[in-house]
Amino acid sequence: MKFTKKIVAVVAGVAMCAGLAACGGSRSGQATGGDAKIEKGATIGISMPTKSEERWNKDGNNLKAKLEKAGYKVILSFADDKPAQQNADIENMVNNDAKIVVVASKDGTAVGPAVEKARDAGAKVIAYDRLIMNTDAVDYYATFQLEQVGVLEATYLIDQLKLKDGATGPFNIELFTGSPDDNNAKYFFKGAWDLLQPYFEKGVLVSPSQHGQGGVTKDFTVEDWQKISVMSWKTEQAQKDMESILDSTYAHGEKLDAVLTPYDGIAQGVINAIESKRPDMKPGTDSWPYITGQDAMEIAVANIAKDKQGQTVFKDVNKLADAVYDMIVEIAEGKEVSGLNGKFNNNNIDVPSKLLDPQNITKDNLQDLVTANYITQDRFDELTK
């Protein structure tokens, strides 16, 4: 019996590779149909990393509501930023006979043993927005075009500083990356650094602080990204780091032209630090730096309206929930998963992936968040008064 199943998996894997090309070490049987159907009313597990960030509440509850409406039982858990708690949550789902487990990992490596238990129990595993690393127990991955997030952030800064128009500066810029335990953070930074590094090479952009264990120079590489990271994406940590930068480098009226931050919560920490340490810098004037972000959080909507933050990257989590819902329904019906348009290597296998497009949001198109039903008009009006 085991031998027969192995042959079927190998054949299915070959078929999948033909569709995705260059699969390398992909897990056998991914991206294929023909699996046993999952009955309506079956249990689906959804494990989110934390309740403390606005977006994960939206993600988890959006997907839960869609699945319950379709007749599935749903176990939704939030791991309180604790890898051990997330592992326990996933094991609880397995113990409750979850047929599919959707995981937005707190720590993409630490969650491996738990999803392997899910796989061994016969469950399908979908990595949600954050890739699960160093294991073959991942069937699919759904996220946004990760490097494009950084491209949008860097492009905004390049446009505002008029670097393509020949501005020579030098412009002072400080850079932050996301949590060192989040694999996505590296891709966000790569998208941005690929565009910004040439301007460091020319001396048009400079980072005068020693932020990042020696500072960010033209020789800084994508592999150095954790040197300027913010653990758990925390606003408070970003504020402390930025206050230290301001005290050491900008305490005597020096100009700060721009801050690359990969997330609205980090941007808020930067804003708090500037308001505390440099009250002479005023939003909406040339004294205030261009600041980037991601996730279109409510605080970012308010900050953009008040000229405190210049830009955010909108990742429509309603569409991500829709994409994962479609995956779950196709798996449940024994169909081939559709819409796969990429793959990500997790150091073990190439995981078939569904990648969505992020959108750049500035003050000029802030209203798009209402149009997308991401935020209500009434709430938008409250935030932007």
Side-chain angles (χ1 to χ4, degrees), residues 367-385:
Q367 185 72 32
D368 284 1
L369 299 175
V370 177
T371 305
N373 295 317
Y374 186 74
I375 190 171
T376 66
Q377 184 67 58
D378 286 347
R379 184 61 177 149
F380 182 85
D381 291 342
E382 288 175 14
L383 293 168
T384 57
K385 281 180 182 177

Side-chain angles (χ1 to χ4, degrees), residues 184-255:
N184 286 8
K186 176 180 177 179
Y187 291 101
F188 299 149
F189 181 63
K190 184 180 186 305
W193 188 240
D194 284 351
L195 295 183
L196 297 177
Q197 194 275 340
Y199 294 104
F200 275 81
E201 193 82 41
K202 296 173 186 174
V204 176
L205 291 178
V206 293
S207 183
S209 77
Q210 293 300 299
H211 176 51
Q213 303 170 36
V216 178
T217 70
K218 65 181 178 61
D219 298 318
F220 201 81
T221 71
V222 172
E223 299 306 318
D224 295 325
W225 72 273
Q226 291 181 332
K227 294 179 179 179
I228 54 173
S229 61
V230 178
M231 179 56 77
S232 297
W233 305 85
K234 291 294 187 183
T235 299
E236 297 80 9
Q237 185 59 54
Q239 181 172 342
K240 288 178 183 176
D241 291 348
M242 191 66 203
E243 287 176 348
S244 177
I245 289 169
L246 291 169
D247 284 342
S248 67
T249 311
Y250 299 92
H252 304 291
E254 292 86 353
K255 181 88 164 70

Side-chain angles (χ1 to χ4, degrees), residues 238-294:
Q239 181 172 342
K240 288 178 183 176
D241 291 348
M242 191 66 203
E243 287 176 348
S244 177
I245 289 169
L246 291 169
D247 284 342
S248 67
T249 311
Y250 299 92
H252 304 291
E254 292 86 353
K255 181 88 164 70
L256 173 62
D257 297 289
V259 184
L260 175 76
T261 95
Y263 164 61
D264 295 336
I266 294 176
Q268 182 61 51
V270 168
I271 291 165
N272 291 345
I274 294 172
E275 290 180 331
S276 171
K277 296 291 184 177
R278 286 290 302 273
D280 58 304
M281 295 164 65
K282 303 295 184 185
T285 72
D286 289 342
S287 67
W288 191 263
Y290 300 108
I291 300 172
T292 63
Q294 174 185 185

Side-chain angles (χ1 to χ4, degrees), residues 10-27:
V10 169
V11 172
V14 170
M16 186 270 296
C17 283
L20 285 177
C23 286
S26 293
R27 176 176 162 191

Side-chain angles (χ1 to χ4, degrees), residues 156-168:
Y156 169 78
L157 297 179
I158 289 167
D159 289 346
Q160 296 305 309
L161 296 172
K162 297 180 170 50
L163 303 188
K164 283 188 176 179
D165 297 336
T168 57

